[in-house]
Amino acid sequence: MNRNRVLLHGGDVVDGTGAERRRADVLVEDGRISAVADISRDVDAPVMDVSGSVVFPGFIDVHAHDDLALLRPGGVEPKVMQGVTVDVVGNCGHGCAPVATDPRMQASYSGPVLGRFPESLPWRGFPEYLDHLSATGLRTNAVALVPHGALRASISGYARRPLDARELARATRDLDEALERGAAGLSLGLMYAPGDAADHSELLALARVVAARGRILAAHIRSEGDDIAGSLRELLDIARRSGVRVQLSHLKVVSPRNKGRMPEVLALLDDARSEGIDITADVYPYTAGSTTAAALFPNWALADGVPGLLASLDTPSERAEIVASMHRPWQQQENNFRALGADGILLAGFRQPGNERYEGARLSGVADERGEDAAECLCRLMTEERGELTVVMFQMDEADVRTALSWPWSLIGSDGLPVQSPYTHPRMYGTFARVLSEYVRERGLLTLGEATRRMTALPAERFRIPARGVIRAGAAADLVVASPERIEDHATFASPRRFPEHVRAVLVDGEFATLDGTATESTAGALLPIERSTA
């Protein structure tokens, strides 16, 4: 029997094109799909009976933060177990490459998003990071964006100013080299230091480099709250003037006072598309977000990164100024502490003895227990934990989430944080199962065929990943076997680290990464090439 082949027999296929399910068998050979048809079980290949299940293309997580987790044993298991076969990393400007002028600042600021950094990194520039991914067998395939924050930090650290002419020339040169070596595009994190210090001319210059290479610009805009319209217009002007293709990161509207504004946002996006701006977005199917706790502080306090913030928090007069600022609205950056209140913020990442009991607790509860003002309590916790805390923030309205998911140009991205703390946002474990169970089966918001297209073929097209995202002869054998009638997302805010049920198998490049709900030891994943088309 030919062990380089496997026949998935007796089930249905949803091929990723938007078409609904149909009866077909799938023959896999040497990492590729060799036939999609009614195939006899007598074929010279092991046969997996998938009766009662659907074979999907592998899901593509267009918004991942698994830059380091890909290289950590078990780091991306939550993705693989829900059917993710391609991880797009480097989002929101956060990254582990290029390495910052002060690596400790990078590790302390981005660690609560990417997971703990190792003591030293075996690369400096972004091409070296790509080389490292290429040389490593991975549990899932990877596509990498150049993170603007890390690019900037490698040149000017966390300086609170625009890049000067010499620095900008280096940034465009380093970006172009990374794109030439295989990066899929550039990601902006304009809510985060140091990317928020970039001016319009810097962003436009970098966008033009991306456009010239035919790659994509993924953007976490400056504000997703009060100033969301202005922040979107900034991004759209960059796209208009550069011609770059744009992926709007985690399409959402935050804070209770902005409830119901999603139609306004989609009207701006539809107008932009009508004008010829090539923009799509990604959405995660939850009403809470998650990020580093440092994002709850004004960015001017992060001029010297998290170490600088901690030094200020240790100085009573400076801490008082920071606390006062947390109770005031900010000009562009959304003040999530003020908007959500302490009851809307959960905490994670505690390592100090005595603080572990706060894992997954609301800031309001911790402040009450300690008898402190919530802002003062957060400041003290940051000092105690040396700034390495993650927060989960209940920011969005469910109706706005549904409206965002309904937009025809929205893709699915988890925005999951692969942190090693006991508590994390459930989207790391449940995003793709939740789309299928909650928004296809239960709510009927999307058809099965359309939801699959948003998780497979459309992402492959947007990020120009060849031969992925569809089930057809000749395509790579990234496949998921699951039952859409039974699939269940068990990851909740109360118990987030739970795998979904009824994902029977996941194949990465023709090898079983999971089988019967159990992970294998396969490391068939790799850094994927990007099509070398130009604008």
Side-chain angles (χ1 to χ4, degrees), residues 26 30 34 44 124 178 183 237 252 307 378 380 392 444 496 516 531 535:
V26 181
D30 295 325
S34 61
D44 180 24
R124 294 294 301 178
D237 184 68
K252 61 180 182 284
L378 180 62
R380 292 184 188 279
V392 172
D516 296 326
E531 288 179 343

Side-chain angles (χ1 to χ4, degrees), residues 22-58:
R22 70 182 194 274
R23 170 72 190 93
D25 306 311
V26 181
L27 182 62
V28 173
E29 185 170 8
D30 295 325
R32 295 273 164 178
I33 298 168
S34 61
V36 184
D38 185 3
I39 303 170
S40 168
R41 291 178 63 98
D42 295 333
V43 68
D44 180 24
V47 177
M48 179 179 180
D49 185 348
V50 297
S51 301
S53 296
V54 169
V55 183
F56 299 91

Side-chain angles (χ1 to χ4, degrees), residues 95-107 117 121 123-124 149-158 170 194:
C96 55
V99 176
T101 54
D102 184 344
R104 296 171 303 164
M105 285 192 184
Q106 188 171 20
F117 280 51
L121 295 169
W123 55 76
R124 294 294 301 178
L151 177 66
R152 218 174 188 277
S154 72
I155 296 169
S156 60
Y158 284 76
R170 179 180 162 189

Side-chain angles (χ1 to χ4, degrees), residues 28 181 218 343 353 377 389 398 456 465 500 512 529:
V28 173
R181 293 284 294 275
D343 198 50
C377 179
L389 287 178
E398 172 63 30
T456 58
I465 309 168
F512 283 98

